Amino acid sequence: MTLLDEARPSDLAMLSLEVAQFYYHEARLLDERRFDEWIELFTSESTYWAPVRVTREGDPDRMQRGELALFDDDFGTLELRVASLSAKSAWAEIPPSRTRHLITNVTATESDVEGQVSARSNFVIFRSRLEATEHTFFGSREDILMREGGSWRILERKILLDHNVYTSDNISVLF
């Protein structure tokens, strides 16, 4: 092995970089309110859910699948969420929010299922509305991504918000 070989990024690092580029593209679509393009990043079998976080001594800090969640969408309900945000009559978004999605700490590992990877990322989402309404959301995402037609698609997304109490009047942002 030469010094040049040692300096080359590992396959895992390249995979994480490729997934990070996918996430940056996704963030741009959301910040530019290109929701119809964003929904195309998901498979028709996708799940998109955010378990409630709890504070209790000695127990896990999040609810499990099938328990209380902020939202627990399949692809059909995610499409409805996108349609609602895109509608001109969406009262929670008149006028539309301005968002900035910051994605960090992206890691990806090969899955046991061929063509799939497990990916994790952290996020900060800043949302502003009207003249003085501002909200910031912090958390992480755990995804299962799969290759479809040469591109990454989201099969499963679990959103873990760091908040226990929300000061926002609504959560009309996409993660």
Side-chain angles (χ1 to χ4, degrees), residues 35-162:
F35 302 130
D36 290 338
E37 292 175 66
W38 178 78
I39 194 75
E40 291 174 11
L41 301 178
F42 290 80
T43 70
S44 59
E45 298 85 30
S46 290
T47 59
Y48 180 88
W49 72 294
V52 169
R53 303 295 292 266
V54 293
T55 303
R56 32 178 201 210
E57 189 174 337
D59 285 334
D61 73 340
R62 65 187 81 142
M63 297 290 175
Q64 299 303 309
R65 197 66 194 226
E67 296 180 331
L68 190 59
L70 293 170
F71 45 84
D72 191 352
D73 295 340
D74 60 16
F75 185 73
T77 53
L78 189 57
E79 281 183 311
L80 291 173
R81 184 185 297 272
V82 165
S84 173
L85 287 173
S86 300
K88 299 220 182 291
S89 60
W91 64 268
E93 284 297 306
I94 299 174
S97 295
R98 291 174 296 279
T99 62
R100 187 68 53 215
H101 289 69
L102 305 176
I103 308 300
T104 68
N105 299 59
V106 176
T107 59
T109 57
E110 295 287 343
S111 171
D112 293 337
V113 179
E114 188 171 333
Q116 292 185 5
V117 299
S118 297
R120 295 186 64 137
S121 61
N122 294 337
F123 63 82
V124 176
I125 300 172
F126 175 77
R127 173 183 174 225
S128 65
R129 291 190 70 241
L130 306 169
E131 288 79 26
T133 303
E134 295 180 349
H135 300 105
T136 305
F137 299 94
F138 296 90
S140 65
R141 303 181 304 188
E142 298 174 1
D143 292 343
I144 302 293
L145 305 176
M146 62 183 291
R147 285 222 188 260
E148 194 173 272
S151 300
W152 289 114
R153 304 278 303 278
I154 301 165
L155 179 62
E156 295 178 18
R157 171 160 289 167
K158 177 168 57 172
I159 298 123
L160 297 169
L161 290 160
D162 290 339

